[in-house]
Amino acid sequence: MRRAAIPVAALATLALVTACGGGEGQSPEATPDDTTQATEPAASGSITVWVDENREPAVAAAAETFTAETGVEVELVQKNFEDIRADFLAQVPTGEGPDITVGAHDWLGSFIVNGVVDSVDLGDKAGEFEDVAIEALTYDGQLYGLPYALETVALIRNTALAPDPVPATFDEMIEVGRAAGTPLPFVINTNGTTGDAYTYYAFQTSFGAPVFVQQPDGSYTNELGMGGEEGYAFAEWLGANGMAGEGLFSTDWTYDIANQEFADGNAPFTVAGPWAISTYTDAGVDVAVEPIPSAGGETAAPFVGVQAFYLSAQSDNALVATDFLTNYVATPEAMRALHEADPRIPAMSEVAQEVAEDPIIAGFLAASQNGTPMPSIPEMGDVWQHWNAAQASIISGSAEPRAAWDKMLADLESALGG
């Protein structure tokens, strides 16, 4: 069941029963003539929030207001982000975990399977967030977590080499790239011979071949969506543009090599995330960020990652914690503070539009609005190895596209228990 957010006035009474930690507390005694009672803190106790160093100041500001208005203390526990997932999985079942933790949306599948996370009802506020952010945290029709930030890859253009906005199609972009006279018309990370299905995913979706089939609410089923003629068409496109074809893709390119080629001005276009921008600008490249052009005729939808706050399934103060999330963190003020602390694209649309005055952020926002959330279902962990390997073998020319794709699908069906 989803828990609805409750008004602060009602929360004051509830917190007397549900508050834990932070000592014994009681609400002020009311009298018939007491007209100031409703404006005073009416409860004590605490909720615990796990947060990393970068985001702690923003959460602390929201917590201060929450405590002042409700009397409920918020204990912030600073954690290394890399440790949060494992620690949450280990500690929540023992009752030692937090009421709320920060985390990535693709942790959700393992959280659901292990029963450590509860649903969150944002009510009408859900409409204030980017659709892809809500989709990312939706599982079997319910919302788990409060989204606060997005990240994705986009098309990066060297404006000195390609001054006009990127064309609508991949083929047109390559024509422009060749006309620029650089050694390469386009460069993209292939992660060497390992393969990089993540970075190539927008091109794959433009052929109508998603990794898993999505439901109408955006949540994923465990049915592979990469089969059929759409999947074959993408595989053949990879081969035609790989090392045995046009040479537009290469397994010689790693993340560092692809970034260096673009930073050195050897290609006017690349696909990369915001984490790579400083490499280019530090090298003196003036960049523009735009949605990825379509290769297969449909919208090129890159993976979108979402940062979120999760509610523990074992929280003793679930309604109190939900009130903190929905009424104190899910606000423009808190979302602005989170962006300042961790400058990714805000998941709240109003704040995203504000920071999109920066054209680089605007470009990544536009790319994310075309995008699709990274699947958070547990089965996703079984996909990467076979998927990456198939793409690398096709790009290198060591495997025939349809045969490699068929082998990948068979391997995945076996791994997924199909």
Side-chain angles (χ1 to χ4, degrees):
M1 293 290 290
R2 295 185 180 181
R3 291 187 173 92
I6 58 176
V8 172
L11 170 67
T13 302
L14 176 66
L16 289 173
V17 179
T18 60
C20 69
E24 297 288 328
Q26 64 182 40
S27 59
E29 293 185 5
T31 68
D33 296 328
D34 188 351
T35 59
T36 62
Q37 161 106 20
T39 63
E40 298 176 359
S44 63
S46 69
I47 58 173
T48 300
V49 180
W50 283 359
V51 66
D52 64 332
E53 180 181 8
N54 289 344
R55 285 159 275 212
E56 184 174 13
V59 178
E64 183 178 356
T65 302
F66 179 71
T67 299
E69 295 187 3
T70 69
V72 177
E73 295 292 333
V74 180
E75 180 186 1
L76 300 184
V77 177
Q78 189 181 118
K79 305 272 290 183
N80 291 325
F81 191 83
E82 296 78 10
D83 298 333
I84 289 176
R85 180 180 184 175
D87 288 354
F88 194 74
L89 285 166
Q91 294 186 33
V92 167
T94 71
E96 297 299 319
D99 299 280
I100 296 167
T101 187
V102 70
H105 92 269
D106 56 348
W107 301 355
L108 180 57
S110 61
F111 283 179
I112 293 285
V113 167
N114 288 280
V116 298
V117 69
D118 205 351
S119 58
V120 175
D121 191 345
L122 293 180
D124 292 341
K125 279 194 173 182
E128 299 176 12
F129 291 82
E130 292 293 304
D131 290 344
V132 70
I134 297 298
E135 289 180 4
L137 292 162
T138 299
Y139 197 104
D140 284 343
Q142 294 200 68
L143 182 68
Y144 291 85
L146 170 69
Y148 79 85
L150 312 173
E151 60 186 6
T152 192
V153 296
L155 195 286
I156 316 297
R157 172 169 56 89
N158 181 324
T159 61
L161 298 174
D164 297 325
V166 65
T169 70
F170 178 84
D171 289 344
E172 291 172 315
M173 180 190 71
I174 294 302
E175 289 180 13
V176 173
R178 285 177 170 146
T182 50
L184 301 167
F186 171 76
V187 65
I188 184 172
N189 174 35
T190 306
N191 198 24
T193 56
T194 300
D196 185 10
Y198 172 86
T199 304
Y200 277 79
Y201 190 61
F203 296 124
Q204 179 172 325
T205 56
S206 78
F207 284 87
V211 57
F212 287 107
V213 175
Q214 282 182 278
Q215 300 183 82
D217 64 5
S219 59
Y220 283 91
T221 70
N222 60 5
E223 178 186 354
L224 290 171
M226 298 189 286
E229 291 303 316
E230 294 84 0
Y232 286 143
F234 172 66
E236 289 172 345
W237 177 80
L238 284 178
N241 290 290
M243 299 168 77
E246 294 292 324
L248 298 175
F249 311 138
S250 173
T251 54
D252 293 336
W253 297 340
T254 62
Y255 175 80
D256 289 337
I257 289 173
N259 279 346
Q260 196 61 54
E261 292 284 6
F262 186 80
D264 289 344
N266 291 331
F269 301 106
T270 191
V271 172
W275 46 85
I277 294 297
S278 62
T279 299
Y280 311 146
T281 56
D282 289 351
V285 178
D286 184 18
V287 300
V289 179
E290 295 158 318
I292 297 169
S294 174
E298 299 186 23
T299 299
F303 277 135
V304 177
V306 178
Q307 297 289 308
F309 291 94
Y310 289 108
L311 175 64
S312 168
Q314 297 298 320
S315 171
D316 291 331
N317 285 336
L319 293 178
V320 179
T322 298
D323 185 69
F324 176 62
L325 286 180
T326 58
N327 293 319
Y328 293 84
V329 181
T331 66
E333 295 77 17
M335 292 290 161
R336 290 185 193 104
L338 284 162
H339 172 72
E340 291 169 4
D342 180 35
R344 309 178 202 221
I345 303 166
M348 181 174 276
S349 299
E350 173 186 337
V351 184
Q353 291 300 326
E354 290 174 7
V355 302
E357 292 181 3
D358 180 329
I360 289 178
I361 294 177
F364 282 113
L365 175 59
S368 73
Q369 290 170 337
N370 280 353
T372 187
M374 173 92 74
S376 60
I377 57 176
E379 290 85 354
M380 190 65 195
D382 295 321
V383 167
W384 292 110
Q385 180 180 356
H386 300 296
W387 192 19
N388 287 336
Q391 292 197 19
S393 68
I394 294 169
I395 290 168
S396 70
S398 64
E400 191 276 326
R402 284 197 174 222
W405 209 250
D406 279 336
K407 181 179 185 304
M408 176 198 73
L409 293 170
D411 288 342
L412 289 177
E413 291 289 355
S414 177
L416 298 175

